[in-house]
Amino acid sequence: AQSVSQHNHHVILSEAASLELGCNYSYGGTVNLFWYVQYPGQHLQLLLKYFSGDPLVKGIKGFEAEFIKSKFSFNLRKPSVQWSDTAEYFCAVNAEAAGNKLTFGGGTRVLVKP
Amino acid sequence: ETGVTQTPRHLVMGMTNKKSLKCEQHLGHNAMYWYKQSAKKPLELMFVYNFKEQTENNSVPSRFSPECPNSSHLFLHLHTLQPEDSALYLCASSQDRQGNQPQHFGDGTRLSIL
């Protein structure tokens, strides 16, 4: 089945460490890509999105993601994390091949130790 | 403040009860969505409404019945639910159903079925 995969379910790292979260999808054709974040006790909110143009997109709070079409990937990165980045991160893909339904990955829980 | 308000925040009900979840968006959006978020599973799309018309029913059991009286309000009517229906139910909205439109999420209703 076509899907969105986030390879790491849990990530623990220290403040100032670099973060990279993987996201791969299996849809061909036109895709729109999103990363959402859910801070503890808060609602899901958009971190960044890609739908055309420069494959390196910058989002809020110092996050960026790179769309590599040949690898069907949209990995999220942050060079230096803070304790406040502790959250669950969700990759989501809206694909024409899937009828423009937004399909989410399973999420990655990130714990940043102070 | 997300612009998408869900009530109630928590709901405990027996399997024979009838209850309704409510969602209201103040963003002027035309598309609204219901998602189910269960532990250890990706977010699952349940229903999509666009300009008050249901455009997607993702094989949801009939014990879940959505209603969209206008573009700002969305309901999920619940009847004779099962224990496996216990989950966080999220409402979202977007400007329209175009694939590059980000979705704005509410805080969710945490539903527990006794």
Side-chain angles (χ1 to χ4, degrees):
Chain A
Q2 296 183 321
S3 67
V4 180
S5 300
Q6 291 181 242
H7 312 295
N8 305 100
H9 297 296
H10 298 274
V11 172
I12 301 174
L13 60 168
S14 299
E15 278 193 311
S18 63
L19 173 70
E20 181 160 358
L21 302 181
C23 174
N24 286 91
Y25 60 92
S26 59
Y27 302 99
T30 302
V31 291
N32 297 290
L33 304 161
F34 305 83
W35 275 97
Y36 285 85
V37 60
Q38 189 169 29
Y39 297 103
Q42 296 189 29
H43 59 272
L44 269 168
Q45 54 188 288
L46 183 70
L47 204 50
L48 48 77
K49 66 176 182 177
Y50 170 83
F51 50 88
S52 66
D54 188 344
L56 184 63
V57 291
K58 296 193 183 298
I60 60 172
K61 305 187 180 185
F63 284 89
E64 64 179 30
E66 185 175 13
F67 170 49
I68 303 180
K69 189 172 182 178
S70 60
K71 294 186 177 180
F72 296 84
S73 70
F74 190 54
N75 292 354
L76 180 71
R77 298 193 291 253
K78 184 168 181 177
S80 176
V81 294
Q82 300 172 312
W83 174 78
S84 57
D85 293 321
T86 294
E88 190 161 13
Y89 294 81
F90 295 90
C91 179
V93 177
N94 186 306
E96 277 189 356
N100 276 336
K101 282 192 305 187
L102 191 63
T103 303
F104 283 81
T108 299
R109 287 188 187 273
V110 173
L111 173 62
V112 179
K113 297 187 292 184
Chain B
E1 179 59 48
T2 172
V4 180
T5 304
Q6 289 187 244
T7 54
R9 293 293 304 276
H10 301 272
L11 179 62
V12 179
M13 57 187 284
M15 288 192 284
T16 57
N17 291 156
K18 286 185 183 181
K19 295 285 185 185
S20 296
L21 309 185
K22 179 182 175 182
C23 176
E24 183 175 0
Q25 57 97 359
H26 312 278
L27 301 168
H29 289 168
N30 296 304
M32 295 187 78
Y33 311 79
W34 279 117
Y35 287 89
K36 177 182 179 182
Q37 189 176 28
S38 306
K40 300 182 181 179
K41 289 177 71 175
L43 217 60
E44 301 170 63
L45 178 66
M46 299 174 71
F47 300 103
V48 181
Y49 277 82
N50 196 32
F51 292 92
K52 301 189 299 177
E53 297 297 321
Q54 187 181 127
T55 59
E56 188 88 33
N57 176 337
N58 205 24
S59 302
V60 181
S62 59
R63 57 186 184 268
F64 294 91
S65 173
E67 179 190 0
C68 188
N70 55 62
S71 291
S72 299
H73 293 86
L74 185 64
F75 295 89
L76 188 62
H77 303 301
L78 315 172
H79 178 48
T80 59
L81 295 193
Q82 304 299 310
E84 62 265 27
D85 297 322
S86 297
L88 182 68
Y89 289 85
L90 294 173
C91 174
S93 70
S94 63
Q95 185 60 49
D96 52 44
R97 283 286 283 128
Q98 290 200 59
N100 60 2
Q101 296 296 324
Q103 294 181 18
H104 297 252
F105 287 82
D107 289 327
T109 294
R110 186 158 299 278
L111 177 66
S112 298
I113 307 300
L114 301 178

